[in-house]
Amino acid sequence: MDRPGCSLLYPAQRRQVESRPLTGTAILRIGGVRNPVPNELVDVGRIFLGILALVLGGCGSLPRNAVPPELTGQAVVAQMPDIRATAGQPSPAMERDLRASFAQERAGVFPISEDGSVLYAHLALSGGGASGAFGAGFLNGWTSTGSRPAFKIVTGVSTGALMAPFAFLGSAYDGALREFYTTTRTRDIFVLGSLLRQLLYGDALADTRPLRALIERHVDGDFMRKIGEAHLQGRRLYIGTADLDSRQFIVWNMGLIAISGRAESLELFHKIMLASASIPVAFPPVFFEVEVDGRRYDEMHVDGGVGARVFFNEGLYSSSIVRTRGGLGKGREDIYVIHNGQLVSVPDPVRRSLPSISMRVIDFSGRSAVVGDLFRIYGDATREQANFRWVTIPDDVSMESDEVFDPTSMTALYDIGYRLAVGRNAWAVMPPGRQQGYLH
């Protein structure tokens, strides 16, 4: 039932909204604004972020069983209490697991330097929606050079969370990445229903059942078993989601889920990947059942890019244990970051309209957040005597398209990433804004 706050939409306005054709392109053209392929997947719904609170503040909400605020820090996934941690807070469980990983390593998986140090490569994959095609192309090009390492740690958020399990398993899954990021269309990711109904009674503008089916088709029991095998060989896969209830960035230990032996582990694996790519407002949140002292509750999680556009350690454990390999000898790190977007700021006058201003503010703040994340990772790398290397979509690449997920535009981005990986000057070694040096 409508509550008084919903009366801001008068009958004539409701008829106009209901009669509007609903396509991915229509969303991008509301207010007469032509929006390019999003730098961050969040852009699909960003037009609405500045106005929904005003229009719908008095509307009813759907029922749920949220964790009481005073119990938030105690909530765990039933029977799997150590599979996740809150960013910014030291996690004894994560630290124990990372220490155990060194004893699990097989000879020959990670190279050894002349001084006897074990050399570790870590990969962090950012968000970026359809622009993940760049990262997929870069990984494939990296493989073709023969220099792509087996990664000790892989992290991902948003589209990076969809890529991360495949990148983690190595070049055998390059073909799957290429297919997804060169053939997927908008309808393969989400579908739109009645805009008015969703605004008044829903929790999102779109239905992500197509994306969920896509994840389930590619990430089956055999795939998860291979993730578990890699975990037992001392490698680690982490995916980030944003818990809206606690306002915390949550890091999930995907390999630990894979080896848990729980019947629900595959479904949980799917839900985490979906949650990390669930754009708030545009896509429905994903709910996780948790418990506190035997009582069950639910948590509302959305796109990991809300909490961090790209992440590596996030203070979950002391990175110095990598240098000492948990007491098993010396280790050295190379941290690689693939940013599936652009940081260039092109001057462009903003229309004096709410959609235009909202789009520009969120785009501006999103780019600033990426820069902050890169500086944080660079700071961690410097402190821990690790090498820092990152790559982004070149500034002179046009990102415009009339469709959110357009195979033609995505193939072009894939090819750019591939060529950059096999060419010279692939990696920047200083964060943005600092004097740049490059390393192939």
Side-chain angles (χ1 to χ4, degrees):
M1 178 179 297
D2 287 8
R3 291 169 58 185
C6 297
S7 62
L8 291 173
L9 285 176
Y10 294 97
Q13 292 173 303
R14 295 185 183 188
R15 286 194 297 272
Q16 182 181 9
V17 171
E18 289 174 330
S19 64
R20 181 180 296 149
L22 296 175
T23 66
T25 303
I27 285 183
L28 296 176
R29 291 180 179 274
I30 287 178
V33 179
R34 187 173 187 273
N35 189 25
V37 169
N39 185 52
E40 298 293 338
L41 192 54
V42 181
D43 293 352
V44 178
R46 66 186 182 178
I47 296 174
F48 299 95
L49 293 180
I51 61 176
L52 280 180
L54 296 175
V55 177
L56 305 177
C59 294
S61 60
L62 300 172
R64 58 171 305 209
N65 180 32
V67 181
E70 67 274 12
L71 299 179
T72 296
Q74 304 173 43
V76 298
V77 177
Q79 307 301 317
M80 291 187 278
D82 295 336
I83 62 171
R84 65 183 195 164
T86 300
Q89 301 178 15
S91 170
M94 285 282 191
E95 183 146 347
R96 285 194 304 270
D97 181 67
L98 188 60
R99 286 182 182 277
S101 75
F102 301 114
Q104 296 169 334
E105 292 172 5
R106 291 186 179 179
V109 174
F110 304 109
I112 300 176
S113 68
E114 293 182 358
D115 67 359
S117 299
V118 179
L119 304 178
Y120 295 116
H122 309 314
L123 176 67
L125 298 165
S126 83
S131 298
F134 169 79
F138 192 92
L139 286 167
N140 273 260
W142 196 355
T143 296
S144 73
T145 67
S147 61
R148 176 176 161 184
F151 299 110
K152 171 71 175 181
I153 295 174
V154 175
T155 69
V157 293
S158 199
T159 200
L162 300 180
M163 301 169 63
F166 298 91
F168 180 71
L169 290 182
S171 59
Y173 287 88
D174 281 359
L177 282 176
R178 181 177 61 251
E179 178 183 357
F180 179 84
Y181 282 101
T182 60
T183 65
T184 300
R185 293 187 175 276
T186 301
R187 63 174 178 264
D188 300 319
I189 302 298
F190 65 88
V191 292
L192 291 166
S194 166
L195 179 61
L196 178 61
R197 179 179 297 277
Q198 290 304 106
L199 287 174
L200 297 181
Y201 308 115
D203 55 10
L205 299 174
D207 184 338
T208 51
R209 276 180 289 186
L211 175 57
R212 183 173 62 195
L214 203 59
I215 293 171
E216 292 173 352
R217 184 164 69 249
H218 287 282
V219 180
D220 56 14
D222 183 62
F223 185 95
M224 192 177 70
R225 178 183 58 78
K226 292 177 181 178
I227 296 288
E229 290 174 352
H231 183 89
L232 292 174
Q233 294 171 11
R235 301 172 60 219
R236 296 296 182 260
L237 171 64
Y238 304 129
I239 286 178
T241 63
D243 177 1
L244 290 186
D245 295 318
S246 67
R247 309 184 195 188
Q248 300 281 0
F249 183 69
I250 305 299
V251 178
W252 300 79
N253 189 334
M254 305 302 283
L256 206 54
I257 295 171
I259 65 170
S260 68
R262 305 290 304 176
E264 64 272 23
S265 61
L266 182 58
E267 180 184 3
L268 179 60
F269 202 102
H270 293 157
K271 289 178 68 175
I272 294 166
M273 292 181 66
L274 179 63
S276 190
S278 291
I279 316 153
V281 180
F283 292 174
V286 175
F287 293 89
F288 293 92
E289 186 176 85
V290 296
E291 67 176 22
V292 180
D293 295 330
R295 298 192 62 178
R296 297 297 176 96
Y297 303 97
D298 63 59
E299 291 178 347
M300 180 188 292
H301 288 239
V302 298
D303 194 317
V306 171
R309 300 305 171 96
V310 63
F311 78 101
F312 176 58
N313 179 348
E314 303 304 292
L316 299 175
Y317 51 81
S318 170
S319 292
S320 62
I321 68 174
V322 178
R323 284 192 282 119
T324 62
R325 297 178 61 238
L328 296 177
K330 293 186 295 183
R332 284 167 40 194
E333 302 170 87
D334 289 326
I335 300 173
Y336 298 93
V337 179
I338 297 179
H339 173 229
N340 296 300
Q342 286 178 315
L343 296 179
V344 60
S345 298
V346 178
D348 182 22
V350 181
R351 290 167 56 98
R352 190 175 177 180
S353 69
L354 188 57
S356 296
I357 295 171
S358 298
M359 289 170 62
R360 181 58 58 85
V361 167
I362 294 176
D363 179 71
F364 192 171
S365 61
R367 292 170 192 264
S368 298
V370 173
V371 172
D373 291 337
L374 289 170
F375 266 90
R376 186 179 64 254
I377 297 173
Y378 173 74
D380 289 343
T382 301
R383 183 176 60 255
E384 299 303 331
Q385 303 171 29
N387 293 317
F388 172 78
R389 301 171 184 176
W390 70 286
V391 66
T392 189
I393 299 174
D395 293 348
D396 58 355
V397 173
S398 173
M399 303 283 283
E400 291 196 354
S401 174
D402 284 333
E403 188 177 354
V404 181
F405 282 81
D406 170 38
T408 300
S409 299
M410 291 164 69
T411 298
L413 276 178
Y414 174 93
D415 291 340
I416 290 168
Y418 190 100
R419 291 196 300 269
L420 186 60
V422 300
R424 297 183 60 83
N425 300 332
W427 298 104
V429 297
M430 298 290 287
R434 301 285 293 273
Q435 183 178 355
Q436 292 296 318
Y438 290 91
L439 180 68
H440 179 62

